[in-house]
Amino acid sequence: WINIMIYFSDKYENIEFISTNVWNGIVSLYNELIATNKFARAFPEVCSDNGLPYAVNVHNLENAIKAEIPSVKLPLQSIKEIMSSSWFDGEAEKDKILLSTLFDLVEFMFKHLSNPQIIGKFHEFMNHHHLTFSDDLQQIQNAFVDKINTIFRRNNLSYVLSANGVVERIVDESINPLILKESFYTKDESLNKLLNKAFKKFKSSKEEDRREALDILWDGYEQLKTHYGANKKVQQSIETFIDSVSLGNDELKKAINEDASMLYGIGNTLDIRHKNTEVEKLTHSFHVDYLFFRMSNLIHLLLQHFDLLNEATNETAN
């Protein structure tokens, strides 16, 4: 059995770049792990006197990193802040680092962590201690995961390093009730297929998938309005729809109407569903996430309400 390392970039195409703060923070952690010999088991520097490991062979370590992550630039070192005025300068451009490169590096680092233990007396002639290695990596790995996730969280990256060393995309907790659904169960199969597809794609780390998920979600909203507003014009159906959802609360009805109207306008003026040159482009994945969350919350509210209506209808029938 051949154990092949599958990296983040093998699973997802990613053209986003990271900030200098994030990169420099990871490089700082990388240097700390070298200084404390956390990579010494896989890449040992051995004592010329007795052949025992005593430190990390950084040359071999970085050669291995470059071989498995060709996009990384050696030596691994911090970079200067890229000024907005020089963002497209040649010098600034070459310092930009892909998100996928960083995540590949983080996964490489996790994979090669070790738990070094000092053995024997201090080797005075060579001025170092010798090392052995414990197979118990739990504490070392947990500390690494915590530090990486602190950097991600403090820099608003929607990703997390899992306990088994895999970088995964996360979504806002506010839409977890919908995200965690395995399938939608409305009476409209077309609507179910659209919503299932949208949320599956949105959980992808691939930005193109998330943009497509936004288009599909907007299609799902239009399908939802049509289904629950059967035999009515779409504009009439959504008004009846929201009137029912608000349960007689006029202020809430007004707020939901305004939100629905605004989202409808956003769908027509931005490149959601409509890809012609007359609409304004969404330029950042954060905007895609924001709009997905907003539309998801509206759809969630509407579907929850009709779930309750269906339950009440079923109880009456029984």
Side-chain angles (χ1 to χ4, degrees), residues 14 38 52 157 193 211:
N14 193 290
K38 296 299 191 300
L52 293 174
L157 289 178
K193 289 178 181 179
R211 287 180 179 270

Side-chain angles (χ1 to χ4, degrees), residues 229-257:
N231 302 318
K232 297 178 182 290
K233 293 180 180 179
V234 171
Q235 187 59 38
Q236 290 177 327
S237 71
I238 190 60
E239 290 175 357
T240 305
F241 203 15
I242 293 173
D243 185 57
S244 178
V245 168
S246 61
L247 300 176
N249 187 320
D250 289 337
E251 287 301 314
L252 181 59
K253 177 182 176 180
K254 179 181 177 182
I256 299 172
N257 259 315

Side-chain angles (χ1 to χ4, degrees), residues 63-318:
N63 280 345
I65 291 173
K66 185 66 175 178
E68 297 194 25
I69 312 173
S71 59
V72 79
K73 182 180 178 181
L74 295 180
L76 291 181
Q77 58 188 7
S78 60
I79 57 178
K80 295 180 180 179
E81 183 71 32
I82 298 173
M83 303 302 293
S84 58
S85 60
S86 63
W87 184 258
F88 293 105
D89 291 348
E91 289 301 309
E93 186 72 18
K94 72 179 183 180
D95 281 338
K96 292 167 67 177
I97 297 171
L98 284 168
L99 200 68
S100 56
T101 299
L102 174 80
F103 292 164
D104 285 358
L105 176 61
V106 166
E107 291 178 343
F108 179 98
M109 291 164 66
F110 181 92
K111 175 187 175 184
H112 293 93
L113 288 172
S114 61
N115 187 357
Q117 311 287 321
I118 293 174
I119 57 169
K121 297 181 179 179
F122 183 73
H123 193 170
E124 293 186 3
F125 180 69
M126 300 299 291
N127 195 35
H128 59 225
H129 287 286
H130 299 132
L131 302 173
T132 188
F133 301 94
S134 169
D135 291 329
D136 183 6
L137 296 176
Q138 194 67 57
Q139 186 175 355
I140 301 295
Q141 290 176 339
N142 288 347
F144 178 79
V145 168
D146 287 345
K147 289 181 179 179
I148 292 294
N149 286 333
T150 297
I151 293 173
F152 286 177
R153 184 178 66 255
R154 296 292 293 174
N155 288 274
N156 299 315
L157 289 178
S158 299
Y159 296 87
V160 64
L161 181 66
S162 69
N164 61 343
V166 177
V167 176
E168 300 171 343
R169 176 171 156 75
I170 57 176
V171 294
D172 192 274
E173 290 182 359
S174 65
I175 63 167
N176 269 348
L178 266 181
I179 290 294
L180 295 177
K181 279 182 177 288
E182 293 183 0
S183 62
F184 289 84
Y185 47 87
T186 74
K187 295 179 179 180
D188 186 339
E189 287 301 321
S190 297
L191 174 60
N192 295 339
K193 289 178 181 179
L194 285 170
L195 295 179
N196 290 336
K197 186 175 182 181
F199 282 93
K200 180 178 180 181
K201 282 187 170 292
F202 183 71
K203 287 184 281 188
S204 170
S205 295
K206 190 174 179 180
E207 184 178 348
E208 306 92 279
D209 284 347
R210 302 202 300 276
R211 287 180 179 270
E212 184 181 352
L214 192 62
D215 296 343
I216 298 169
L217 188 67
W218 243 257
D219 289 337
Y221 176 59
E222 294 301 318
Q223 179 69 21
L224 185 153
K225 291 192 300 183
T226 302
H227 174 76
Y228 286 107
N231 302 318
K232 297 178 182 290
K233 293 180 180 179
V234 171
Q235 187 59 38
Q236 290 177 327
S237 71
I238 190 60
E239 290 175 357
T240 305
F241 203 15
I242 293 173
D243 185 57
S244 178
V245 168
S246 61
L247 300 176
N249 187 320
D250 289 337
E251 287 301 314
L252 181 59
K253 177 182 176 180
K254 179 181 177 182
I256 299 172
N257 259 315
E258 289 176 352
D259 200 33
S261 178
M262 187 174 293
L263 288 171
Y264 177 78
I266 287 171
N268 288 330
T269 56
L270 297 179
D271 60 334
I272 303 171
R273 304 176 71 219
H274 308 289
K275 303 301 179 183
N276 58 63
T277 57
E278 296 178 0
V279 296
E280 192 170 351
K281 304 294 183 183
L282 288 170
T283 58
H284 202 289
S285 63
F286 289 156
H287 300 156
V288 174
D289 291 354
Y290 164 73
L291 292 174
F292 196 96
F293 295 160
R294 279 196 62 181
M295 180 57 84
S296 297
N297 284 328
L298 178 60
I299 290 176
H300 193 192
L301 171 66
L302 300 177
L303 288 182
Q304 280 184 319
H305 176 66
F306 279 97
D307 284 346
L308 293 175
L309 288 184
N310 288 337
E311 288 177 7
T313 301
N314 292 334
E315 288 177 3
T316 301
N318 293 331

